[in-house]
Amino acid sequence: MAKVKELLTKHKKLAILLCVIIVLASGVLAVRAQVKKGMEAMNAAMNKQEIAAVERRSLVSSISATGTIVSAESRDIVVNLSGIEVETVAVEVGDSVIEGDILLEFDSTDIEESLEDAKTALNASGGRSDISVSSSERSLQEAQATRDINAERANQDVADAWNDYLEALTDLEEAEGDYEDAKQTTIEKKGELEGSQARSSEAQSKMTEAQALMESLSGQFDSIVAQMNETYPEYSSQFNEKLHIGSSELSGLSSTNLVPDEATEAKAYVDGKLVDLIGISNQYHTAKGTYDTAAASYNSSSAEIASWQSKYATAQGNEATYEKAIDAAESAVDNMLNAYNNQVRSQEDSTRNNASTVAAKEDGLKSDKLTASTATLSDKKQVKQYETQLEDCIVKAPFAGVVTAVNVEEGDMYKGDTLITIEDTSAYEVSAEIDEYDISSIELGQKAVIKTNGTGDAQLDGMVTDIAPRATQSTGTDVTYNIKISVDTKNDDLRLDMTAKLSIILESKDNIVTVPYDAVQTDDEGKKYVEVVNETAEGEEVSQDSEEAQTPENTTIPANTRGPEGASGRTNTKKVYITTGIESDYYVEVESGELTEGMQVVVQAAEQSLNMENIMRMQGPMGGF
């Protein structure tokens, strides 16, 4: 030790340097320790959280503002007079008046004299104008009478021409009907003629066909007879005598009638041929019947054709006659229509001329009336002006209220300024300015709560009655709009110009599920959620006597830092997505199928500054350095 002291004595500078190095080293270690503690404190501050219960409560969303108590109605009284003396003043500041009370009077002597002179001048100019107007009225009445008489005559002429035209149309319709009937008759007669011709042609065709068939059958018959004669010439005399087509005896013949009994082979041959001949003969008889019937029909229809040809020719003649009648009727219609149109044009010309005459007389009357009105206009205006000034000489209260200003005295010469100010103190309202960020939320009819220093703790009811469409002022970025709120609660302590504190109610709800405003968070997708305390992490037991169990209901309590799942002593939470509704200053309405009253949610602590000064402040002074 002694050697050390001796060494230090000999080397004082070295000793001082060593001390400084030791102190600096100690300081660096101390700073590192303080910084470490500061960072730990910062992390603890950043992760500090609280929890609060999900509750049902009533919420009110509102906008606060400050305004001034004003009267519901205020009037600065002025009159349209100048250079007239104030004769009497009947009120003083503070007086209460009712509507119609006399407030003051002016000296009206000069105005009354001027009014009498103006009335005399008006009567004279009015008399001259009345004479001119009466003359124009008589001329107009005569022109109107002439117009009406001419119109009545023209109407009758037009009506007669129209009736003639209608009669011509009737004749044309009848002629057209007759012509249509004649055409129909012609068609019918032609049809009958064509039918008769068709029947005759059909009968002739049947005759031709029947005749051809008969000739064919006769040929076949003769051919068979010739074959029989050729085969058995020895019997040809009997064949030629007995076998004739169309013979009525043919159907009763047999080989016995034509061939001897010993000629058995010939009889068999003849019987076979007789069958063919009888068949041909029957067909021949049928064809002959058809021929005879067709011939009779042909002869009958030939006689009818001549008759129908005569009737058809007669119908064609009638049709041509009626067609000519139509042409004559159409010509008559055209003539009557032209006559009617000419009469209408004549009526229009007469009406136009008469209307022009009447219009000229009306214009003359109007001109005389305008002249009369302008002739007396200045005199009437002068009379009205003096009458109005005479009424203004007596100033009355326009409504009930209190006199708040009297600006003239008896004997003053009035120059057109405000005489008296009256304000209605029976009804108050609040005039307030709302900034542009809130004005869109204000609507007419919204309820409001009003408080003033003069009325103490009393809350007065109100309602928004007016919203200015334009800004009251716009200075830089400060833009406000004036609103008016009625004061609906009577209070005797209320006075004009008091400062009023307003709470304008935007929305209110009762018995809704709420959480603190700071409990609502937003994820990266913009969805809102709250962190619900699910259960304590593994390895931590919560005693019934713990601080959390003893915390009063609805009071937020600190929550441990939320860390990795399963870490001892950390709160286990889960996200529950929600939909938010009405908000107050602290609470917000929430809706979710998973969120129920009584659950605990995490409330985020307010962000703190992370600068070194605050970190050091968390730890306090670094003692001794």
Side-chain angles (χ1 to χ4, degrees):
M1 181 63 71
K3 289 182 178 181
V4 173
K5 288 181 179 180
E6 183 179 356
L7 180 60
L8 292 175
T9 301
K10 291 181 180 181
H11 303 281
K12 289 183 178 181
K13 291 182 178 181
L14 180 59
I16 292 172
L17 180 59
L18 289 172
C19 289
V20 171
I21 291 172
I22 292 170
V23 170
L24 289 174
S26 300
V28 170
L29 293 174
V31 168
R32 290 181 63 186
Q34 287 293 91
V35 170
K36 182 177 180 181
K37 292 180 180 179
M39 293 302 294
E40 292 175 351
M42 179 185 68
N43 288 331
M46 290 178 62
N47 293 316
K48 184 179 179 181
Q49 297 173 330
E50 296 178 342
I51 61 175
V54 178
E55 300 178 89
R56 285 189 175 274
R57 55 167 47 85
S58 297
L59 289 186
V60 175
S61 176
S62 63
I63 292 176
S64 298
T66 301
T68 302
I69 299 295
V70 297
S71 63
E73 186 172 8
S74 177
R75 185 78 59 85
D76 291 331
I77 298 176
V78 296
V79 293
N80 189 26
L81 296 173
S82 182
I84 187 170
E85 182 180 348
V86 178
E87 189 172 62
T88 59
V89 179
V91 294
E92 297 178 352
V93 173
D95 287 351
S96 295
V97 296
I98 61 175
E99 183 179 354
D101 281 353
I102 295 177
L103 304 178
L104 62 80
E105 296 183 47
F106 293 98
D107 183 1
S108 62
T109 302
D110 292 341
I111 296 176
E112 291 174 352
E113 293 176 356
S114 298
L115 176 60
E116 290 301 321
D117 293 341
K119 287 181 177 179
T120 300
L122 175 61
N123 291 333
S125 60
R128 289 190 296 271
S129 299
D130 290 343
I131 293 173
S132 177
V133 169
S134 297
S135 176
S136 295
E137 287 177 342
R138 286 193 299 273
S139 296
L140 174 60
Q141 290 172 356
E142 291 174 0
Q144 289 172 335
T146 301
R147 176 199 62 192
D148 295 341
I149 292 172
N150 290 338
E152 184 176 356
R153 292 172 179 172
N155 287 337
Q156 185 60 49
D157 292 340
V158 169
D160 292 342
W162 180 252
N163 289 333
D164 292 342
Y165 170 67
L166 293 180
E167 290 177 0
L169 282 178
T170 301
D171 293 341
L172 175 59
E173 289 175 357
E174 291 177 355
E176 288 174 341
D178 293 340
Y179 175 63
E180 291 299 324
D181 291 343
K183 286 200 299 184
Q184 184 62 35
T185 301
T186 300
I187 291 171
E188 292 174 355
K189 301 306 180 185
K190 183 179 181 182
E192 294 292 346
L193 174 60
E194 290 175 347
S196 177
Q197 290 173 336
R199 288 191 297 274
S200 177
S201 176
E202 183 181 1
Q204 189 176 21
S205 176
K206 288 181 178 180
M207 285 171 59
T208 301
E209 291 176 357
Q211 188 174 15
L213 179 60
M214 288 168 62
E215 291 174 354
S216 174
L217 292 172
S218 179
Q220 294 177 28
F221 190 91
D222 292 341
S223 176
I224 293 173
V225 173
Q227 291 175 10
M228 292 174 64
N229 287 331
E230 183 179 354
T231 304
Y232 294 100
E234 61 272 27
Y235 305 121
S236 59
S237 59
Q238 289 93 325
F239 294 158
N240 293 330
E241 180 183 356
K242 301 285 185 177
L243 302 179
H244 297 287
I245 189 167
S247 174
S248 58
E249 298 177 354
L250 184 63
S251 59
L253 290 176
S254 67
S255 60
T256 303
N257 303 112
L258 301 175
V259 180
D261 292 337
E262 63 274 8
T264 304
E265 182 179 351
K267 292 180 70 173
Y269 173 81
V270 169
D271 285 337
K273 293 299 182 180
L274 282 174
V275 171
D276 294 336
L277 291 175
I278 290 171
I280 291 172
S281 178
N282 290 336
Q283 293 181 42
Y284 179 85
H285 280 291
T286 301
K288 189 174 187 306
T290 300
Y291 176 83
D292 292 340
T293 301
S297 176
Y298 174 75
N299 293 331
S300 175
S301 60
S302 296
E304 289 179 356
I305 288 174
S307 174
W308 288 119
Q309 283 178 334
S310 175
K311 293 179 181 179
Y312 175 60
T314 302
Q316 285 181 318
N318 292 337
E319 181 179 343
T321 300
Y322 287 124
E323 188 174 9
K324 291 179 180 179
I326 287 178
D327 293 338
E330 287 178 343
S331 178
V333 167
D334 291 339
N335 293 335
M336 294 304 162
L337 181 59
N338 290 333
Y340 168 75
N341 289 332
N342 291 335
Q343 198 63 51
V344 170
R345 283 192 289 271
S346 176
Q347 180 193 37
E348 291 173 349
D349 293 341
S350 176
T351 300
R352 187 164 48 253
N353 293 333
N354 291 328
S356 178
T357 301
V358 171
K361 299 299 181 181
E362 289 175 340
D363 291 342
L365 177 59
K366 290 178 181 177
S367 177
D368 289 341
K369 287 183 176 180
L370 289 173
T371 300
S373 63
T374 55
T376 60
L377 184 61
S378 60
D379 293 330
K380 288 180 178 179
K381 184 177 180 180
Q382 194 67 48
V383 169
K384 182 64 176 177
Q385 180 178 347
Y386 288 135
E387 289 175 343
T388 301
Q389 290 179 355
L390 194 60
E391 292 176 357
D392 290 343
C393 285
I394 301 176
V395 181
K396 298 180 180 180
F399 55 83
V402 174
V403 177
T404 58
V406 178
N407 301 318
V408 293
E409 297 179 353
E410 295 179 2
D412 288 349
M413 296 300 292
Y414 180 57
K415 299 179 180 179
D417 299 328
T418 299
L419 294 166
I420 294 172
T421 300
I422 297 178
E423 297 193 53
D424 181 6
T425 56
S426 64
Y428 292 103
E429 62 184 11
V430 179
S431 176
E433 296 293 324
I434 304 296
D435 64 43
E436 60 183 320
Y437 302 103
D438 292 330
I439 192 63
S440 60
S441 299
I442 305 298
E443 296 179 0
L444 295 176
Q446 287 176 333
K447 301 295 183 181
V449 178
I450 307 166
K451 293 185 71 175
T452 69
N453 292 333
T455 54
D457 294 332
Q459 292 188 355
L460 310 179
D461 295 330
M463 183 176 68
V464 177
T465 58
D466 184 68
I467 304 172
R470 301 189 64 179
T472 304
Q473 59 182 7
S474 178
T475 306
T477 58
D478 185 15
V479 178
T480 62
Y481 294 79
N482 182 262
I483 67 170
K484 292 290 192 304
I485 296 177
S486 64
V487 180
D488 300 330
T489 303
K490 298 293 183 181
N491 191 298
D492 294 337
D493 296 329
L494 206 59
R495 296 290 184 272
L496 293 172
D497 300 325
M498 282 185 174
T499 299
K501 298 177 181 178
L502 303 173
S503 181
I504 303 170
I505 299 172
L506 304 180
E507 187 178 6
S508 64
K509 288 186 178 180
D510 296 326
N511 193 30
I512 57 176
V513 177
T514 65
V515 298
Y517 184 84
D518 291 332
V520 179
Q521 303 181 58
T522 305
D523 65 11
D524 294 338
E525 297 180 358
K527 298 179 180 178
K528 295 181 179 180
Y529 69 92
V530 294
E531 290 189 81
V532 177
V533 178
N534 191 19
E535 59 185 352
T536 56
E538 182 182 354
E540 179 177 351
E541 296 182 358
V542 180
S543 171
Q544 294 295 327
D545 297 330
S546 66
E547 180 181 355
E548 182 178 352
Q550 296 174 2
T551 303
E553 185 180 2
N554 302 336
T555 303
T556 58
I557 61 176
N560 293 326
T561 302
R562 182 165 62 92
E565 183 177 356
S568 178
R570 299 182 185 275
T571 304
N572 186 4
T573 64
K574 67 174 181 178
K575 287 184 180 180
V576 174
Y577 285 92
I578 60 169
T579 300
T580 60
I582 183 175
E583 299 178 1
S584 68
D585 292 339
Y586 185 69
Y587 291 101
V588 59
E589 176 189 7
V590 292
E591 294 180 2
S592 172
E594 300 181 48
L595 203 62
T596 58
E597 184 179 8
M599 285 184 173
Q600 299 290 327
V601 295
V602 175
V603 181
Q604 298 296 314
E607 294 183 2
Q608 299 189 31
S609 175
L610 301 181
N611 57 31
M612 288 302 297
E613 181 181 355
N614 284 342
I615 294 173
M616 296 307 178
R617 188 178 294 115
M618 295 175 189
Q619 283 300 104
M622 295 187 296
F625 180 73

